[in-house]
Amino acid sequence: MYREYLQKMIGFDKWHLNSLNERFYALPTINRINEILQKENPAGTVIEVGCGLGDIISAIHRRERMGYDIDKRAVRGARILHPLTRFRTGSFDAVRDKKIAVLIALNFLHRIDDKECSQYFRDLLCYNEVDRIVVDAVQSPPYQYAHDYEKLLGDLGYTLEYKSRGYAAYRHSIRKILYFRKSWDV
Ligand SMILES: C[S@@+](CC[C@H](N)C(=O)[O-])C[C@H]1O[C@@H](n2cnc3c(N)ncnc32)[C@H](O)[C@@H]1O
């Protein structure tokens, strides 16, 4: 109810009215990242790029957590809904000089072509130190682009650590969540 009121006031995309339960990948991903943080306590900030209203990043158990989104209306809503999380307007290229324990990018890279997606990660890794990367793999069609993250992130020195089961996604397709970790020998 409160979100619907905020949506009318701020005008962010109505997609954000979906609850975490309706995003089938969201709660298992949050739980797995929280388990990693609890077990290994890696140093650094947890960052979500494309965070929308910040529901995923704000459920991560780490004081140093930040969400980035290119839509300033989503960022405005996120700041109201989650005052204990820091939010910035921008994308991968706005993330600079950070030590990052986990970088999360879910449910938007399927709109970005291979070249731009690869450049986003190159820039990110050029300007920041990133231990883990969590992305979603979808099918094309129905999504516009399906990236080969094992190749893309493998070329940048990351190894696939875990692949989730498939979660129901757009038009009877499935979405899997991929967890990558920096390979120390690269
Ligand atoms: C479908 S929502 C997903 C939100 C959240 N990641 C989740 O899974 O619940 C996609 C979000 O990505 C944002 N977005 C799209 N392209 C982006 C980009 N290039 N950089 C950063 N954010 C982007 C949109 O503004 C939107 O808030």
Side-chain angles (χ1 to χ4, degrees):
M1 196 72 98
Y2 181 52
R3 272 176 197 242
E4 281 163 18
Y5 170 76
L6 272 188
Q7 194 281 325
K8 284 199 175 74
M9 295 298 290
I10 298 175
F12 51 72
D13 195 298
K14 284 190 174 164
W15 183 91
H16 298 295
L17 297 176
N18 285 315
S19 70
L20 277 181
N21 283 326
E22 288 166 301
R23 294 171 242 169
F24 303 117
Y25 56 95
L27 290 173
T29 307
I30 289 166
N31 290 340
R32 188 171 182 89
I33 293 172
N34 280 335
E35 269 171 34
I36 294 170
L37 294 174
Q38 191 188 10
K39 273 193 206 143
E40 301 183 22
N41 196 21
T45 307
V46 179
I47 289 183
E48 182 182 7
V49 177
C51 65
L53 293 185
D55 299 326
I56 292 178
I57 186 64
S58 300
I60 298 297
H61 299 161
R62 171 130 320 196
R63 202 193 311 222
E64 304 82 28
R65 58 187 187 207
M66 288 187 73
Y68 290 74
D69 200 287
I70 46 162
D71 181 355
K72 62 176 189 273
R73 293 163 307 174
V75 169
R76 222 179 126 200
R79 285 182 175 139
I80 293 169
L81 288 168
H82 303 290
L84 299 182
T85 306
R86 287 195 291 153
F87 294 99
R88 297 274 180 278
T89 303
S91 188
F92 288 91
D93 41 7
V95 184
R96 286 285 186 271
D97 305 322
K98 302 246 182 304
K99 180 166 178 56
I100 301 173
V102 186
L103 184 288
I104 307 164
L106 297 173
N107 204 352
F108 73 95
L109 288 170
H110 54 79
R111 289 174 180 268
I112 290 166
D113 69 25
D114 274 341
K115 201 170 159 214
E116 193 178 353
C117 184
S118 166
Q119 195 56 48
Y120 267 153
F121 281 104
R122 279 176 200 284
D123 279 352
L124 176 83
L125 299 173
C126 178
Y127 293 105
N128 304 276
E129 196 185 318
V130 185
D131 188 23
R132 283 185 164 89
I133 299 175
V134 178
V135 287
D136 60 326
V138 293
Q139 296 158 314
S140 174
Y143 289 94
Q144 195 173 2
Y145 299 104
H147 304 294
D148 179 353
Y149 286 109
E150 282 182 69
K151 168 90 178 79
L152 192 162
L153 294 176
D155 288 349
L156 298 174
Y158 286 76
T159 308
L160 182 67
E161 196 174 40
Y162 177 77
K163 185 187 284 193
S164 77
R165 70 171 179 83
Y167 301 104
Y170 186 51
R171 289 202 180 155
H172 307 294
S173 65
I174 58 163
R175 161 180 282 111
K176 291 186 180 182
I177 309 300
L178 311 184
Y179 296 73
F180 289 88
R181 186 157 197 193
K182 191 172 176 58
S183 322
W184 295 108
D185 54 350
V186 176

